[in-house]
Amino acid sequence: MNVIENYYDNIYDEWERLERHKLEFDITKRYLDKYIIGESLEVFDIGGGPGRYSFYLAEKGHKVSLLDLSSRNIEVAKEKAKEFNVGLKEYIYGNALELEKYEQKYDVILLMGPLYHLVKEDQRKLAVEGALRLLKPGGIIFATFISNYAPIQDALKYFYEINDIQDVLRYLKSGENRPEEGFTSAYFSSPSEAKSLMSSYYIKELVFASVENILGSKEKELYSLSDEQYKKWIEIGFRLSTDKNLIGTGEHFLYIGQKE
């Protein structure tokens, strides 16, 4: 946890990440809009970084509490609240593995970050179980995973030099990424592994999507298009995101479920 916290406190700017990766942001927002139904809902964004999705939902009138492991991310969220003149209900410096201290029940829970970084299966289960305990019956959970195909897509997107092809392909067998290999301590999941984790709980699966799907490797080119053309490609990507034949082409998987 200290390695991950240090990465987001001192090395990586998570707020700007979704500026660079608008494709991921825009398609995910389409799913938030479709499945978060109602007004002034209680939302808990667990591991939500500096709160890009928190602010998006708060601007729609929802009561959003943000929790993140990085104290820097929490400070950025407070700064952005002043900039946007949109406040969150709570700004919590906390750990997705230590949710037992919280009691409020939420209409919607976002778990769109912690499962990237929990290398051990029992930790991923603990995070999901903690989140589900705080979700009201009938409530909606959004959980995201980094795809174990993401390193391949990343290599294709930027065409950086490959020294050993196993450096790109090895995540298909072992999803663990160590800090010295770039990024930080992380876990990349296969589609079946991600679905299996979530299906082991009393949740009704509503969506399992490959967020960027075939658009991912053309991300830079998409941003050079006119606004009209870009929106058309986003619509195509959204419609293809649940195509089972394309699931492995995305860099992120999005699971949406309803607590039974």
Side-chain angles (χ1 to χ4, degrees):
M1 291 297 104
N2 289 338
V3 170
I4 298 164
E5 184 175 0
N6 178 66
Y7 182 75
Y8 287 104
D9 277 352
N10 301 305
I11 299 172
Y12 196 72
D13 186 342
E14 178 64 18
W15 183 270
E16 290 299 320
R17 186 181 76 81
L18 289 178
E19 288 293 326
R20 297 193 306 275
H21 300 293
K22 281 180 75 272
L23 172 61
E24 173 193 346
F25 194 36
D26 288 339
I27 290 179
T28 301
K29 287 188 294 183
R30 288 286 300 269
Y31 277 111
L32 295 177
D33 292 344
K34 184 174 181 178
Y35 287 94
I36 298 180
I37 301 169
E39 297 181 358
S40 195
L41 299 180
E42 292 282 354
V43 180
F44 198 11
D45 188 357
I46 301 171
R52 291 301 298 264
Y53 293 111
S54 289
F55 285 110
Y56 179 71
L57 295 176
E59 287 174 338
K60 292 179 174 292
H62 299 301
K63 294 172 284 188
V64 186
S65 298
L66 171 68
L67 177 147
D68 199 74
L69 182 67
S70 164
S71 59
R72 175 57 184 157
N73 279 341
I74 294 299
E75 288 306 311
V76 170
K78 291 177 180 178
E79 293 166 8
K80 294 297 181 182
K82 295 176 183 177
E83 180 182 331
F84 299 151
N85 197 30
V86 177
L88 303 182
K89 183 178 177 180
E90 291 183 281
Y91 305 83
I92 305 168
Y93 169 54
N95 191 327
L97 296 178
E98 299 172 356
L99 299 176
E100 65 279 352
K101 66 185 77 172
Y102 307 106
E103 295 298 332
Q104 180 179 342
K105 302 299 183 181
Y106 295 87
D107 300 295
V108 177
I109 283 183
L110 310 184
L111 192 66
M112 295 165 56
L115 300 177
Y116 299 171
H117 297 298
L118 299 172
V119 173
K120 297 180 180 178
E121 184 181 17
D122 62 341
Q123 292 178 320
R124 296 192 291 278
K125 287 182 175 180
L126 182 61
V128 173
E129 290 163 6
L132 289 175
R133 184 182 66 82
L134 299 174
L135 186 63
K136 294 177 182 177
I140 303 296
I141 185 169
F142 293 76
T144 55
F145 302 80
I146 298 181
S147 166
N148 61 349
Y149 291 89
I152 301 172
Q153 282 285 53
D154 197 56
L156 186 61
K157 183 189 303 182
Y158 297 106
F159 271 119
Y160 54 71
E161 185 173 330
I162 297 172
N163 295 318
D164 184 346
I165 63 171
Q166 285 306 118
D167 291 340
V168 177
L169 296 175
R170 72 175 184 82
Y171 294 97
L172 299 180
K173 291 185 177 181
S174 171
E176 183 176 353
N177 183 80
R178 294 178 290 275
E180 62 271 18
E181 297 169 320
F183 192 32
T184 184
S185 181
Y187 189 78
F188 299 169
S189 299
S190 70
S192 60
E193 186 177 24
K195 285 173 68 72
S196 177
L197 171 63
M198 302 307 293
S199 67
S200 64
Y201 299 99
Y202 291 105
I203 323 171
K204 178 184 178 182
E205 181 182 311
L206 303 177
V207 169
F208 187 81
S210 177
V211 177
E212 304 88 352
N213 57 85
I214 61 169
L215 305 185
S217 64
K218 291 292 185 180
E219 186 176 38
K220 291 188 293 183
E221 290 86 346
L222 283 170
Y223 300 155
S224 68
L225 298 176
S226 67
D227 188 55
E228 180 184 6
Q229 287 297 309
Y230 174 75
K231 287 179 179 178
K232 288 180 178 178
W233 278 109
I234 289 296
E235 180 64 30
I236 291 170
F238 179 71
R239 295 190 189 188
L240 290 177
S241 63
T242 54
D243 187 327
K244 294 180 180 179
N245 296 311
L246 301 176
I247 287 294
T249 61
E251 294 173 87
H252 296 84
F253 301 131
L254 172 63
Y255 174 96
I256 306 172
Q258 184 172 36
K259 184 175 179 178
E260 296 182 330

